[in-house]
Amino acid sequence: MDVTILLYAFLILYPLFFLWKWVNGKRDQECYILDYECYKPADDRKLDTEFCGEVIKRNTNLGLNEYKFLLKAIVSSGIGEQTYAPRIMFAGREESPTLDDGISEMEEFFHDSIEKLLARSGISAQEIDVLIVNVSMLAAVPSLASRIVNHYKMREDIKVFNLTGMGCSASLISVNVAQNILKTYRNVHALVVTSESLSPNWYAGNDRSMILANCLFRSGGCAMLLTNKRSLKHRCMFKLKCLVRTHHGAREESYDCCIQREDDQGRLGFHLGKSLPKAATRAFVDNFREIAPKILPIRELLRFMVLTFIKKWTQSSTKGGGSTGPKAAINFKTGVDHFCIHTGGKAVIDGIGMNLDLSEYDLEPARMTLHRYGNTSASSLWYVLAYMEAKKRLKKGDRVWMISFGAGFKCNSCLWEVVRDLNEGNNAWNDCINEYPPDSLANPFMAKYGWINNEDPSTFVVPR
């Protein structure tokens, strides 16, 4: 009798034990953001209209047509007068950079943002188990990650990853690397550092597809502290729900549209091709197809499928195709509360807004980030997120969809869930958040340099 009871108890409890073990293990595989810190450079690195004009005039390879092109690009870029440039620009040495210029630019960011992040989170550098650094256009030996390890005297068994060449979508690649590590090891702290080195990458030629990058990219960076430590869950800010990466590098048109290369005179620069919008749209559509079932409720997916079927049936049954039937459009707001869009440019933000049928309220964080900080490459998403936080928009349970694009060509996106109400607003927007959104985003460049449009090509002299 006792043996029978024990046998039944074993048969019942043994599966329950493994079920508990599986659930418990899953809980330790979550990826949380404990805290993050967006870099705010010193005020003496701000790029106002007058200084931008001086930098452009220093390029003696430009003619009247190039000046007109740059004027049009800057005025329509959506970038304001509060963005930042590397110190080499203010020293007038952008055409003759050194390795030290690039490294010192990155170290200034590292020492500021990482120290603030560690101090605010209460986590010491020796508690970091994983370090992931992504800076696409600067490869140094020792690596930038090793320089961080050396400066903060991190542990000898720290797992280090140094990513280059990944472009503007690199920060979500870094998060994905951290996520996979957090699924394997328990009680892990991962430090993700994302930025771009502009000092050695100024283009001094006159190729329009390459001078455009000079107008868009600005200095910035972000350090994030990720963890799967259950005891810290109540302190965390965000929980990663899903992440999808799409890579179209096998398509020649996508591969070539956004690439570092030399021009006809051998000057190194960053080429942005005319096929870039098409490549970005194609990558986004493929990425969306995969992530939509993960972020949208079943009822919305079913509604979309039914409307699509009705529309196709109506078109096929109507002579001449005159009636299109009901509009089949997905309502993303059934599964997403906030849209964190890469600030690749005004056209990128407008394009995503139109494709997703977003309101100006939804696009405001990306537009304001582009205006205040410019395109800071892979770190731009985190300035957009910080804007939402500073505006006190992020409440417990809200879901934030991050969308990024990068050379390769890549589209990476992910969904974060807000773990607690974020009312602190203690970030890079502190000193100016009450000024946003401003009454106008118009760039004053036209007012100061519009005379270029009235110049006679036969008598034009390069301004000094």
Side-chain angles (χ1 to χ4, degrees), residues 129-146:
D129 304 286
V130 180
L131 172 64
I132 305 170
V133 178
N134 65 261
V135 177
S136 290
M137 300 179 71
L138 177 64
V141 180
S143 68
L144 295 175
S146 293

Side-chain angles (χ1 to χ4, degrees), residues 141-355:
V141 180
S143 68
L144 295 175
S146 293
R147 293 174 187 273
I148 293 175
V149 171
N150 176 263
H151 179 78
Y152 290 99
K153 306 306 176 189
M154 294 177 168
R155 301 198 319 261
E156 294 180 357
D157 63 342
I158 188 171
K159 308 289 189 302
V160 176
F161 300 84
N162 196 88
L163 309 181
T164 61
M166 293 293 178
C168 297
S169 63
S171 68
L172 293 191
I173 296 174
S174 297
V175 169
N176 190 213
V177 172
Q179 177 191 23
N180 290 330
I181 295 173
L182 296 180
K183 287 180 179 179
T184 306
Y185 301 95
R186 293 188 177 189
N187 297 324
V188 171
H189 291 305
L191 177 62
V192 174
V193 181
T194 177
S195 185
E196 189 56 87
S197 178
L198 301 184
S199 293
N201 293 296
W202 175 263
Y203 175 65
N206 57 8
D207 187 317
R208 292 191 183 187
S209 70
M210 299 167 82
I211 58 178
L212 186 59
N214 292 346
C215 300
L216 295 175
F217 289 101
R218 296 292 188 270
S219 294
C222 182
M224 295 151 271
L225 192 56
L226 278 60
T227 187
N228 61 356
K229 212 166 184 177
R230 199 183 310 171
S231 61
L232 296 176
K233 179 180 177 180
H234 66 286
R235 289 176 49 195
C236 291
M237 304 175 73
F238 305 94
K239 176 183 177 181
L240 183 61
K241 303 295 290 183
C242 63
L243 190 151
V244 172
R245 291 164 55 180
T246 302
H247 201 307
H248 281 183
R251 304 184 184 209
E252 293 300 324
E253 188 178 40
S254 297
Y255 175 80
D256 291 332
C257 73
C258 189
I259 190 169
Q260 189 179 24
R261 71 177 193 191
E262 294 177 336
D263 65 12
D264 295 338
Q265 285 75 43
R267 298 184 182 90
L268 188 64
F270 199 68
H271 163 77
L272 300 173
K274 293 182 179 179
S275 62
L276 178 57
K278 182 179 178 181
T281 300
R282 201 185 289 133
F284 175 67
V285 168
D286 285 354
N287 185 275
F288 164 72
R289 284 175 182 158
E290 186 175 349
I291 200 170
K294 303 176 188 290
I295 66 177
L296 296 175
I298 294 177
R299 67 179 184 276
E300 178 60 23
L301 296 173
L302 289 175
R303 185 192 69 84
F304 176 72
M305 290 172 61
V306 170
L307 288 179
T308 301
F309 174 78
I310 294 175
K311 182 178 180 180
K312 289 183 177 180
W313 182 81
T314 303
Q315 287 177 331
S316 63
S317 61
T318 303
K319 292 182 179 181
S323 175
T324 59
K327 183 179 179 181
I330 289 183
N331 181 6
F332 292 91
K333 295 180 183 179
T334 58
V336 179
D337 300 291
H338 308 281
F339 298 83
C340 193
I341 302 168
H342 170 55
T343 58
K346 185 177 182 295
V348 172
I349 299 171
D350 289 345
I352 293 180
M354 182 178 64
N355 288 327

